[in-house]
Amino acid sequence: MSPTGTGVKARPDLGAPRRIRLAVNRIDPWSAMKFSLLLSLAFGIMMVVASIVFWNVLDGLNVFTEIDAMVKDILGEEAEVNILQYVELSRVISLTTIIAVVDVVLLTAIGTIGAFLYNVVASLVGGLHLTLTDD
């Protein structure tokens, strides 16, 4: 019986946050692959753009010519070492693009394999339990 004696239970406070317990029992591997592919593509593009900006800053500060001059001072003028040919912008972009493509493939594979491994472990231990509230 309720305190009013009518037999109807009093409603809980409507302003109080609700709490919901959930369990993540399975991650769809196809969804995890798509998510990790898009995230790694964004990371790869960011890596290429960052390397171009970094190279332009170093070139604007004449770091490469100073390093080349220092190497020639150390080895002498007769040494045929030209540092500038190894740090050209086209070479830096090519190397960064190759690294980014390998990174996209590896991160996508790791994300997909991670989803499969989570599914195996979740079937053994029951998954990840979460408590959500709506503050």
Side-chain angles (χ1 to χ4, degrees), residues 18-24 128-135:
R18 294 182 300 171
R19 295 173 55 110
I20 300 172
R21 288 186 40 96
L22 298 172
V24 180
L128 183 66
H129 293 275
L130 303 171
T131 301
L132 302 176
T133 61
D134 61 347
D135 289 335

Side-chain angles (χ1 to χ4, degrees), residues 4-66:
T4 59
T6 61
V8 179
K9 292 185 177 181
R11 288 178 44 180
D13 185 17
L14 295 177
R18 294 182 300 171
R19 295 173 55 110
I20 300 172
R21 288 186 40 96
L22 298 172
V24 180
N25 292 328
R26 185 174 185 283
I27 297 175
D28 183 33
W30 177 248
S31 176
M33 188 200 77
K34 291 187 293 185
F35 181 77
S36 62
L37 174 69
L38 291 177
L39 199 62
S40 62
L41 274 174
F43 182 70
I45 291 169
M46 180 190 68
M47 192 166 46
V48 171
V49 170
S51 69
I52 292 170
V53 169
F54 189 63
W55 186 91
N56 281 324
V57 167
L58 290 179
D59 190 49
L61 294 173
N62 295 323
V63 171
F64 301 128
T65 54
E66 292 292 326

Side-chain angles (χ1 to χ4, degrees), residues 33-104:
M33 188 200 77
K34 291 187 293 185
F35 181 77
S36 62
L37 174 69
L38 291 177
L39 199 62
S40 62
L41 274 174
F43 182 70
I45 291 169
M46 180 190 68
M47 192 166 46
V48 171
V49 170
S51 69
I52 292 170
V53 169
F54 189 63
W55 186 91
N56 281 324
V57 167
L58 290 179
D59 190 49
L61 294 173
N62 295 323
V63 171
F64 301 128
T65 54
E66 292 292 326
I67 291 174
D68 188 52
M70 183 178 63
V71 168
K72 286 183 180 177
D73 285 344
I74 292 172
L75 298 178
E77 291 295 327
E78 65 274 353
E80 294 184 18
V81 177
N82 188 6
I83 300 296
L84 297 177
Q85 72 180 359
Y86 295 110
V87 290
E88 292 176 343
L89 181 60
S90 61
R91 283 186 180 221
V92 171
I93 292 174
S94 298
L95 180 65
T96 306
T97 304
I98 290 170
I99 292 171
V101 167
V102 169
D103 187 47
V104 166

